[in-house]
Amino acid sequence: MRSLAWLSRLMPDEYVASIYEIDLDALWRRGIRLILTDLDNTLVPWNHPDVPSELTAWLRGVHARGFHVCIISNNGEDRVESFAKLCGVPAVSAAGKPKSRGFLEALRRFHMPPEATAMVGDQLFTDIQGAKRLGLYAILVLPQNPVEWWGTKISRMAERLVLRRLERRGLRRPEPAADRRRLDD
C-alpha cells in the first residue's frame, strides 16, 4: 500500500463555511495572535472591489479581541493593496503561495512565530499547503463564489479529488452558509 503521508500536508486543522464561522475565542485559547487571510473567495468573491459591511464588522471584532490581521494573496499588488487599504489591514501581495516567502514576510512584519499564527483560505494547494509547511494553524473555508480566475478553476478539479480523500480520513465538509440560513428560516 502506498504511503498517503502527503495528504497530511493538505489536511486543514479546521474546515468552516466562511470566516464568520471561525471560533475566535478558541483561536485565542490556542495562543493564536495573528490571522493571515487570503483575499479572493475567502474574504470576498473573486476580484470584488468593495468591502462588505459584514466584513468590516468582522474585522472590527477580530481586532477588538486583540488579534492582528494581514491579507496574504497571490493576486497582484494593485488589487491586494487597494482592498487592504479599504479594510485598514496590511497585506502581502504576489505572495507566491504555497511557497514560504509571503508567509514569512507576514510573520516578520508582526514579529510572530508560526505557532501563534493561523492561515485562513479557500484553497488546499495554496493556502492550506503553505500554512502546513510552516506549522501555521490552517483553516479552510468554502469558496464564496464559483466565479474564479481560470488557473484556480483548473486546480479546483484536483482539489475536489483530494478533498474526497481527506473526507474519507475524517475531514467534515461544512454546510454552505446559504443552505444553513434557509434551514433557520
Side-chain angles (χ1 to χ4, degrees):
M1 185 174 173
R2 292 184 320 177
S3 171
L4 295 175
W6 62 272
L7 275 175
S8 66
R9 293 188 301 269
L10 296 170
M11 178 67 89
D13 297 298
E14 288 184 37
Y15 193 9
V16 294
S18 75
I19 59 167
Y20 308 109
E21 305 293 320
I22 296 170
D23 186 340
L24 297 172
D25 293 329
L27 286 183
W28 190 264
R29 286 191 301 272
R30 289 187 81 81
I32 301 295
R33 299 300 181 262
L34 172 60
I35 299 174
L36 304 178
T37 180
D38 180 47
L39 172 54
D40 291 309
N41 263 339
T42 297
L43 296 180
V44 293
W46 179 63
N47 272 345
H48 186 78
D50 302 319
V51 180
S53 59
E54 186 178 26
L55 176 57
T56 301
W58 184 80
L59 287 167
R60 232 186 338 262
V62 169
H63 286 119
R65 284 184 165 88
F67 291 101
H68 299 282
V69 178
C70 181
I71 294 172
I72 177 169
S73 174
N74 286 349
N75 209 325
E77 184 176 356
D78 290 344
R79 159 81 175 131
V80 176
E81 296 299 330
S82 64
F83 190 88
K85 186 176 181 179
L86 289 173
C87 288
V89 299
V92 176
S93 58
K97 298 177 291 182
K99 293 178 182 173
S100 299
R101 181 194 57 79
F103 294 102
L104 292 173
E105 182 181 330
L107 293 175
R108 277 191 294 274
R109 278 191 198 178
F110 289 92
H111 308 287
M112 205 63 68
E115 60 273 9
T117 307
M119 174 65 201
V120 181
D122 68 299
Q123 293 186 63
L124 283 177
F125 299 133
T126 55
D127 305 313
I128 302 307
Q129 183 178 15
K132 300 293 271 189
R133 176 181 284 159
L134 290 172
L136 310 181
Y137 190 77
I139 303 172
L140 182 64
V141 297
L142 295 174
Q144 285 201 2
N145 195 297
V147 176
E148 299 185 289
W149 177 62
W150 67 267
T152 303
K153 287 182 182 210
I154 292 169
S155 69
R156 290 279 189 212
M157 289 184 261
E159 188 176 89
R160 278 191 291 277
L161 297 172
V162 172
L163 277 169
R164 279 191 224 120
R165 291 188 105 157
L166 292 172
E167 287 168 355
R168 286 196 298 265
R169 284 162 181 74
L171 183 65
R172 298 198 59 193
R173 182 176 175 81
E175 282 182 37
D179 291 348
R180 262 198 321 281
R181 279 191 210 111
R182 258 187 264 121
L183 293 174
D184 292 342
D185 290 343

